[in-house]
Amino acid sequence: GAGVSQSPSNKVTEKGKDVELRCDPISGHTALYWYRQSLGQGLEFLIYFQGNSAPDKSGLPSDRFSAERTGGSVSTLTIQRTQQEDSAVYLCASSLAGAGQETQYFGPGTRLLVL
Amino acid sequence: TQLLEQSPQFLSIQEGENLTVYCNSSSVFSSLQWYRQEPGEGPVLLVTVVTGGEVKKLKRLTFQFGDARKDSSLHITAAQPGDTGLYLCAGPPYGGSQGNLIFGKGTKLSVKP
């Protein structure tokens, strides 16, 4: 079966522009997560969805970041007015039900470069 | 704030050598997971340890969870070039939402033939 897919795989944008990153989770997975991986910083949690609602948005670094999930499936992470410090790999993961010990299945990531 | 500290940050060894990487915290975790990430890909789960003192083996990889559930180690016997990658430990934050994980910064392993 298909794994988690993300698009685009790479994105280069200019400072100040908005970007949208897409995640298609594994079919049937109710939980979806966004993480950011910066050089030397490890994976940083951004937001968690259970179905279409986001019970935990605590990791979003500023109000320029937002995310939504529709139909319990696809999710979009939007970064407005991008800054150079937003450059990173944005990883999406999904799991069956969102329990703490569940396996999270990661997509390949979107590499964002803000010039 | 719960943190997971991994050491060493980088490790370069010859094929056939043994190695151990560590994941330490001052906080108790209900469970810890180990992932391996290869360039251009997302992390892939290797193992989850749940019980203090637990030891799990996956072929040449041995994972141990500390008795106090504050630390974990990964030991690789007779490393092979295919073991090359970034090894990450992760755990659910205490009292946090059910979903998200706290990750260490990883150990980047290079095994030379």
Side-chain angles (χ1 to χ4, degrees):
Chain A
V4 177
S5 61
Q6 294 186 244
S7 61
S9 54
N10 292 281
K11 177 72 177 178
V12 180
T13 191
E14 294 179 349
K15 178 182 172 181
K17 297 279 180 71
D18 298 351
V19 294
E20 283 190 354
L21 312 179
R22 177 186 168 108
C23 172
D24 281 90
I26 293 173
S27 178
H29 281 194
T30 63
L32 185 147
Y33 318 83
W34 284 98
Y35 294 89
R36 179 169 71 174
Q37 188 172 30
S38 307
L39 197 62
Q41 293 300 314
L43 272 80
E44 171 191 14
F45 166 75
L46 298 178
I47 188 170
Y48 156 60
F49 285 92
Q50 182 62 259
N52 291 336
S53 63
D56 191 347
K57 306 179 182 179
S58 62
L60 294 177
S62 76
D63 58 8
R64 295 186 296 105
F65 288 72
S66 63
E68 65 174 11
R69 189 178 184 195
T70 55
S73 181
V74 171
S75 177
T76 302
L77 177 68
T78 301
I79 309 174
Q80 295 179 307
R81 305 181 302 282
T82 52
Q83 303 294 313
Q84 289 180 331
E85 61 263 28
D86 300 333
S87 297
V89 177
Y90 289 82
L91 290 160
C92 173
S94 70
S95 69
L96 194 58
Q101 295 174 17
E102 277 189 339
T103 300
Q104 293 189 16
Y105 296 86
F106 283 82
T110 292
R111 281 146 198 81
L112 175 66
L113 177 62
V114 182
L115 301 176
Chain B
T1 303
Q2 288 179 284
L3 293 173
L4 285 168
E5 297 190 3
Q6 292 189 242
S7 61
Q9 189 176 355
F10 299 97
L11 191 54
S12 181
I13 61 172
Q14 292 295 131
E15 182 175 2
E17 292 183 7
N18 301 332
L19 67 113
T20 302
V21 298
Y22 300 93
C23 174
N24 295 296
S25 177
S26 58
S27 305
V28 173
F29 281 83
S30 59
S31 63
L32 280 178
Q33 297 180 333
W34 284 91
Y35 290 80
R36 186 171 77 194
Q37 185 178 20
E38 299 189 26
E41 299 181 8
V44 175
L45 180 67
L46 296 174
V47 78
T48 300
V49 286
V50 179
T51 306
E54 182 177 5
V55 177
K56 281 191 174 179
K57 293 193 174 185
L58 188 65
K59 296 183 181 178
R60 295 176 294 100
L61 278 60
T62 301
F63 303 85
Q64 186 164 6
F65 200 12
D67 290 341
R69 292 185 289 136
K70 291 183 178 181
D71 56 86
S72 182
S73 64
L74 158 59
H75 181 81
I76 301 179
T77 304
Q80 299 178 1
D83 296 326
T84 293
L86 179 67
Y87 288 82
L88 297 158
C89 66
Y94 179 81
S97 71
Q98 287 188 308
N100 65 296
L101 293 171
I102 296 171
F103 279 83
K105 293 185 179 181
T107 293
K108 191 168 184 179
L109 173 64
S110 174
V111 183
K112 302 185 188 310

